[in-house]
Amino acid sequence: MQSMPNHAPSITPIKADLMVCPRWIIPVEPAGVVLEDHALIINRGEIVDLLPREAAAQRYVADTIETLPEHVLIPGLINTHTHAGMTLMRGIADDQPLKTWLEEWIWPLESRWVSTEMVRDGTLLACAEMLLSGMTTFNDMYFFPEAAAEAVDQSGIRANLGILAFDVPTAYGHGADDYLTRGLATRDALRNHPRLSFMLAPHAPYTVSDATFDKVATLAAQTGLGIHIHAHETQHEVDDSLHQYGERPLERLERLGILGPQTLAVHAVALNDADITLMAKHNVQVAHCPVANLKLGSGIARTTALNAAGINIGIGTDGAAGNNRLDLLSETRLAGLLAKGTQQDPGLFPAHSLIYMATLGGARALGLQDQIGSLTIGKRADLCAIALDNATTLPVFDPASQIIHAAGREHVTHVWVDGQCVVKKKHLTEISHGEIYAKAKTWENRFRG
Amino acid sequence: MQSMPNHAPSITPIKADLMVCPRWIIPVEPAGVVLEDHALIINRGEIVDLLPREAAAQRYVADTIETLPEHVLIPGLINTHTHAGMTLMRGIADDQPLKTWLEEWIWPLESRWVSTEMVRDGTLLACAEMLLSGMTTFNDMYFFPEAAAEAVDQSGIRANLGILAFDVPTAYGHGADDYLTRGLATRDALRNHPRLSFMLAPHAPYTVSDATFDKVATLAAQTGLGIHIHAHETQHEVDDSLHQYGERPLERLERLGILGPQTLAVHAVALNDADITLMAKHNVQVAHCPVANLKLGSGIARTTALNAAGINIGIGTDGAAGNNRLDLLSETRLAGLLAKGTQQDPGLFPAHSLIYMATLGGARALGLQDQIGSLTIGKRADLCAIALDNATTLPVFDPASQIIHAAGREHVTHVWVDGQCVVKKKHLTEISHGEIYAKAKTWENRFRG
């Protein structure tokens, strides 16, 4: 290498696939950091460097350079709980009590219509919405995960699919054994897919027998798979369990060997202090779904107490049939607002901690923290760019606050998953709007009939 | 007129300025109605007809026909409480206790910077955000209303401005008498403006003396103006009043003659049953600001009890310095979610009732229900069109539910105020983005300094 006096030594630039140069980067790890005028370097879908923009321009030559002069770049948002296929039922029966909603609307429709076609079409619509809203990973629990996987594959999103288990026959299978067999077969068939992972998904304590939980616990031990389960969504569920089993649902799950650091308890609303202690003892993960909990009248989860107990919390949208939007940014904002408001403490859950919950907290909840959740060298390049130069987001004193409290999904401009650009200037690259529209209208007409 | 056998009689079409032909119209009055394939006819800024589209095409010939094939048209949203000029401080000090936020950030900044220039620029930014978010009227309380009026005039929005009163000198004036004199002079100068109205705005029980309230009550009686006041925002405010006056703030306001059907109580969070009875007795109006109440740790207003007592509720965003967004749709959605969640009753505040709160309820709160708030013949043409053909809003089973629970301000495409199109295909017609951006950045730099 030549050495030239009074000049920096010339070096051969390193080739990379992509260089993203936003105004600000919030890597999430380390915590609370906002980098200005830095660049993120991606090669083969992996984050390979994060450095000041000037140094990046000297050190790297990238096939694609994306300059985002008024944007903040964060890790892609992680939706820790949804039922993507149900997006086709968005808003079909609002303002109804949970029992009416399920028994008179959702279950009859599912019984009539759930199929691989419905799950694929519904999941594709959900993927479109989630990508446009800045999500790069979702954790799903629904019938026919093999059909959901097709939509995931097409859309370019990342997903963690549920291997369903519960004790009622449906169009998808005869009962728990059948569901588990089918789900495990789907996982085996797709285990090399770069954007798919799986968890066991026993539906809920009130729909799964002790015998089925035993099988789930055994499978979890054999395979190393995590467990995705609704738990303590309502006080009614807790009361019923006490009546039927003489135990609270979490006590029963502990007895059955279901609780552990790879167990994701969804909702976790109706909790007493002993429940929280039990969850902390087993390092259980929580998927907090504040909109669904309010909209269905379940209540408000005790996130401040969960957080104080050291329990990791991710954010989930739940299904669009109930929510009715798959919008993790507004969901995360609400998580913060509810904690501040109910505890009467505006200092709770400051902006960076909420961004953490929506990204790395979600990755930890799914056991994917080594692969995604932060803009860390060696992780997969799942990225979300948010523009802050709009009338609705100006001025900008603190990009972290702006993301949580002022911006919305409408400001998401670019999304990358595994290094691939799947949303560019607010448009999906892998899904046509015409396809989404036609499928949604087809199913709207079917459900009306 | 000729009569032709076997044909409808030919009639001369009536000329009109504008015909809006959306897929759906929710007129709000009568309640709960969704009209499909109807047209709204506007002439000289007034709604002159609402009829089936085919009949409209025969009866009217309009200078402009706006066809919105996948949209729902509703009355323009009404923001019943904000401090528009503060939008320039959006996000400047988040996650702080209220006392720190006010005493260490907001008040020092206001003391240093509040001026006609700041209020005009901040209000213009607020008007841009509110129009893009579907609001056509806002109710303001801030310094230099004459400067706010300039921004209102430029932007094309409608506003109800506060004639401020409180007992501390500021850059705007020496104290209550001076504020009232200045505010009344502003009102006199602008009383013929077609989009401006005024209310007396004594800031809050804790900043206004009995003597000043006496003057406000006298002025209200003399002028017929309504009264816009913060009240019972926090339990702390109630406790302080009990300590200082031996009365709860609402009791004191009743004694001073401030309560009545033209009095708008903003926040109304810390209410006991007697407070609600008192408010109902005087037909007091409420501006419900759920995000600000949560974010500042004030709590959750008892909207179900207020509603049951027959008290009219409008929705407000409060100021962007605290909220941090002027987004009445998400605010309205949250109002519904909080009621459902805290009362554990998903049937509370169904979608049509929330649309009412955001429109006609807001108009009633401001005493403007004869002019705006519903798509009623004879009212001013303040309109908001929301597109429902996006991946994030499909399918559509119920347009009312979709507006509240799935759509966001990002789906607002067209807005008219007084019959003038001020937002067209998501772009402001009267304000340039360059002007907004430059002003926001100028003030961002000043405040940082």
Side-chain angles (χ1 to χ4, degrees), chain A residues 72-94:
Chain A
V72 53
L73 189 73
I74 61 172
L77 303 172
I78 296 176
N79 184 358
T80 59
H81 180 67
T82 193
H83 311 284
M86 294 180 81
T87 308
L88 293 170
M89 299 181 205
R90 188 202 306 278
I92 203 166
D94 285 329

Side-chain angles (χ1 to χ4, degrees), chain A residues 33-192:
Chain A
V33 169
V34 180
L35 302 170
E36 198 159 353
D37 294 330
H38 276 56
L40 195 77
I41 316 296
I42 289 102
N43 204 38
R44 296 189 172 198
E46 182 182 312
I47 297 169
V48 295
D49 211 345
L50 171 57
L51 70 175
R53 198 184 301 174
E54 283 194 16
Q58 293 184 341
R59 199 171 307 168
Y60 293 96
V61 55
D63 290 345
T64 304
I65 298 176
E66 194 69 61
T67 302
L68 302 167
E70 301 273 5
H71 302 60
V72 53
L73 189 73
I74 61 172
L77 303 172
I78 296 176
N79 184 358
T80 59
H81 180 67
T82 193
H83 311 284
M86 294 180 81
T87 308
L88 293 170
M89 299 181 205
R90 188 202 306 278
I92 203 166
D94 285 329
D95 307 321
Q96 309 279 335
L98 180 56
K99 192 174 154 70
T100 310
W101 181 74
L102 278 174
E103 295 180 3
E104 295 183 21
W105 291 90
I106 300 303
W107 289 344
L109 281 169
E110 286 186 338
S111 159
R112 168 80 181 81
W113 288 110
V114 162
S115 63
T116 53
E117 185 195 358
M118 188 204 119
V119 172
R120 188 180 58 238
D121 292 351
T123 305
L124 193 66
L125 177 60
C127 291
E129 178 174 10
M130 288 191 279
L131 288 171
L132 289 168
S133 306
M135 275 159 272
T136 52
T137 297
F138 70 100
N139 185 34
D140 202 45
M141 181 193 285
Y142 208 55
F143 309 101
F144 298 103
E146 64 275 27
E150 290 180 34
V152 170
D153 187 63
Q154 176 183 341
S155 69
I157 204 167
R158 190 184 302 281
N160 189 54
L161 301 177
I163 297 165
L164 206 59
F166 65 106
D167 289 296
V168 179
T170 65
Y172 175 52
H174 309 305
D177 287 346
D178 196 25
Y179 297 138
L180 286 168
T181 303
R182 286 169 176 264
L184 287 165
T186 299
R187 180 224 180 198
D188 287 345
L190 296 165
R191 65 190 310 155
N192 294 320

Side-chain angles (χ1 to χ4, degrees), chain A residues 23-24 70 87-92 94-98 125 128-129 132-133 235 291 293-300 323-325 327 330 333-334 336-352 388-398 401-402 404-411 428 433 436-437 440-441 443-445 447-448, chain B residues 23-24 70 87-92 94-98 125 128-129 132-133 235 291 293-300 323-325 327 330 333-334 336-352 388-398 401-402 404-411 428 433 436-437 440-441 443-445 447-448:
Chain A
R23 169 81 182 270
W24 302 279
E70 301 273 5
T87 308
L88 293 170
M89 299 181 205
R90 188 202 306 278
I92 203 166
D94 285 329
D95 307 321
Q96 309 279 335
L98 180 56
L125 177 60
E129 178 174 10
L132 289 168
S133 306
Q235 187 57 42
V291 170
N293 298 154
L294 291 174
K295 185 151 177 279
L296 296 172
S298 307
I300 298 174
N323 180 315
N324 308 347
R325 52 201 274 161
D327 178 359
S330 70
R333 181 179 192 228
L334 182 59
L337 290 174
L338 288 176
K340 292 169 192 285
T342 56
Q343 302 299 308
Q344 306 206 349
D345 180 355
L348 288 174
F349 291 103
H352 279 285
L388 298 183
D389 60 345
N390 308 280
T392 46
T393 55
L394 286 168
V396 182
F397 294 101
D398 175 351
S401 256
Q402 216 71 353
I404 292 297
H405 292 296
R409 63 181 180 186
E410 65 269 29
H411 303 112
L428 297 162
H433 182 70
I436 289 292
Y437 182 88
K441 288 292 169 188
W443 285 101
E444 184 184 313
N445 290 330
F447 291 155
R448 280 186 197 279
Chain B
R23 170 80 182 272
W24 302 279
E70 301 274 4
T87 308
L88 294 168
M89 298 181 206
R90 188 201 307 276
I92 204 166
D94 284 329
D95 306 321
Q96 309 279 335
L98 180 57
L125 177 61
E129 179 174 9
L132 289 167
S133 305
Q235 187 57 44
V291 170
N293 298 155
L294 291 174
K295 185 151 177 280
L296 296 172
S298 308
I300 299 173
N323 181 317
N324 308 346
R325 53 200 274 162
D327 178 359
S330 70
R333 181 179 191 229
L334 182 59
L337 289 174
L338 288 176
K340 293 169 191 285
T342 56
Q343 302 300 306
Q344 306 206 349
D345 181 353
L348 288 173
F349 291 106
H352 279 285
L388 297 183
D389 60 344
N390 309 280
T392 46
T393 54
L394 287 169
V396 182
F397 293 101
D398 175 351
S401 257
Q402 216 70 354
I404 291 298
H405 291 295
R409 62 181 180 186
E410 64 270 30
H411 303 112
L428 296 162
H433 182 69
I436 289 292
Y437 182 87
K441 287 294 170 186
W443 285 101
E444 185 184 314
N445 290 330
F447 290 154
R448 281 188 198 280

Side-chain angles (χ1 to χ4, degrees), chain A residues 78 80-81 139 160 199 225-232 250 253 258-269 271 275-289 301-303 306-307 309-316 356-357 359-370:
Chain A
I78 296 176
T80 59
H81 180 67
N139 185 34
N160 189 54
M199 279 170 95
L225 290 169
I227 298 172
H228 175 194
I229 182 169
H230 298 98
H232 288 232
L250 281 166
L253 293 177
I258 294 295
L259 301 187
Q262 293 196 93
T263 300
L264 176 63
V266 177
H267 298 307
V269 173
L271 299 178
D275 294 327
I276 293 176
T277 302
L278 187 63
M279 293 171 79
K281 175 182 154 193
H282 291 282
N283 287 309
V284 169
Q285 312 288 329
V286 165
H288 175 40
C289 305
R302 297 176 58 196
T303 52
L306 289 165
N307 194 50
I311 294 167
N312 179 56
I313 304 172
I315 307 289
Y356 177 95
M357 284 167 71
T359 57
L360 192 51
R364 282 177 61 195
L366 307 184
L368 298 173
Q369 66 273 20
D370 294 336

